[in-house]
Amino acid sequence: NAGVTQTPKFRVLKTGQSMTLLCAQDMNHEYMYWYRQDPGMGLRLIHYSVGEGTTAKGEVPDGYNVSRLKKQNFLLGLESAAPSQTSVYFCATGKGLNTEAFFGQGTRLTVV
Amino acid sequence: DAKTTQPPSMDCAEGRAANLPCNHSTISGNEYVYWYRQIHSQGPQYIIHGLKNNETNEMASLIITEDRKSSTLILPHATLRDTAVYYCIVRVGGTGNQFYFGTGTSLTVIP
C-alpha cells in the first residue's frame, strides 16, 4: 500500500520547457489536490479535483494545467516553465467532506 | 472563508506539554478545525480535527472554545521528534473540501 506517490522527486527545467508531474494514489479517494510551497511559506493550493474527470482552480492556478482522466491519477502540467515556478510541489488526496487529507512526499522543481 | 492566526514560533522543553494556540474568529458553524504538521520538507502529516467538542487521539488533544473562535493543540509529552511547523486550518465549505494553509507555528522542542 503505497498511499500517495509523486513522480518525479526532483527535476531541473530550463525556462520555457514543459513537464508533467504525476500524482498516483491507491486509496480510492475521490478528492485530489496540488499544492506548491515556497521557502518560509505555507502550502498554497494550485488546482484540485473532486472526482474523475473534474478539475477546479485553487489560489494560484496561473501557469499550470491539470487533468484527472483516471480516478487514481492527478497530473499537473507546466506548459512553459518560468523561474517563479521553482518550488516544492505536494499532492494530496482525501476521501470526502470533513475527512483528513493525505500528502505525498513532494517534488522539488527548479527552473533555471 | 475563515482565516486562522497562529504565533510564528514557540519553544517547549522535552517531556513537557506543548500547547499551540490558534485563533479563528470568523469560523462558520459547519467548518471544522484541522491540525497538520510538517517536519523538515516532508509532506504535511495529519494530526487531529474537530467541530465543537474536544478531541483526543494517540498523537494529540484538540481543545475548542465554546464560541469556537479559538482552539489549542496539545502535545502531552513533547519529544525532539515533535519539532516541526504546525498548521491550524479551518476547512472551507462547499464542494471542493479544500485545505488552505497559513504560515503555521514553528515548534522547537528543546532537550
Side-chain angles (χ1 to χ4, degrees):
Chain A
N1 187 347
V4 182
T5 303
Q6 293 184 229
T7 310
K9 290 186 171 43
F10 302 93
R11 185 74 186 268
V12 178
L13 281 181
K14 294 184 179 178
T15 297
Q17 286 186 318
S18 63
M19 78 163 293
T20 300
L21 281 67
L22 170 63
C23 178
Q25 54 118 345
D26 61 4
M27 296 182 286
N28 201 35
H29 286 171
E30 290 293 333
Y31 296 83
M32 296 189 75
Y33 312 85
W34 275 108
Y35 289 87
R36 61 176 287 174
Q37 186 173 32
D38 301 310
M41 297 181 68
L43 283 73
R44 291 184 293 170
L45 182 65
I46 305 172
H47 285 281
Y48 63 97
S49 168
V50 300
E52 182 179 315
T54 75
T55 63
K57 295 180 180 180
E59 297 174 273
V60 288
D62 294 342
Y64 304 95
N65 57 76
V66 288
S67 64
R68 183 102 181 265
L69 298 179
K70 294 182 179 180
K71 184 177 183 178
Q72 63 268 33
N73 295 336
F74 196 28
L75 280 64
L76 178 71
L78 287 73
E79 290 187 348
S80 180
S84 60
Q85 293 177 305
T86 293
S87 191
V88 180
Y89 291 85
F90 289 101
C91 173
T93 74
K95 231 181 335 190
L97 293 176
N98 302 323
T99 64
E100 66 269 31
F102 298 86
F103 283 80
Q105 288 306 299
T107 294
R108 188 172 297 274
L109 175 66
T110 302
V111 183
V112 297
Chain B
D1 299 345
K3 302 297 184 187
T4 62
T5 303
Q6 300 177 253
S9 64
M10 293 180 63
D11 293 338
C12 177
E14 188 177 17
R16 304 295 294 269
N19 295 283
L20 291 89
C22 180
N23 286 322
H24 31 79
S25 58
T26 59
I27 192 170
S28 299
N30 61 348
E31 290 181 320
Y32 284 70
V33 180
Y34 284 76
W35 283 84
Y36 278 79
R37 71 180 183 184
Q38 188 175 25
I39 298 173
H40 300 299
S41 297
Q42 298 176 19
Q45 177 190 21
Y46 166 78
I47 302 173
I48 198 167
H49 74 283
L51 182 62
K52 56 176 84 171
N53 297 322
N54 298 337
E55 301 288 344
T56 296
N57 63 20
E58 64 278 5
M59 289 183 68
S61 294
L62 173 61
I63 308 298
I64 303 173
T65 58
E66 193 169 341
D67 63 8
R68 302 213 322 126
K69 293 184 176 181
S70 65
S71 60
T72 301
L73 178 74
I74 301 172
L75 308 178
H77 305 287
T79 71
L80 299 179
R81 287 177 293 182
D82 291 323
T83 292
V85 177
Y86 287 77
Y87 296 99
C88 168
I89 302 163
V90 173
R91 198 63 173 280
V92 177
T95 58
N97 210 38
Q98 305 94 306
F99 288 96
Y100 287 98
F101 288 74
T103 53
T105 296
S106 179
L107 174 69
T108 302
V109 179
I110 301 169

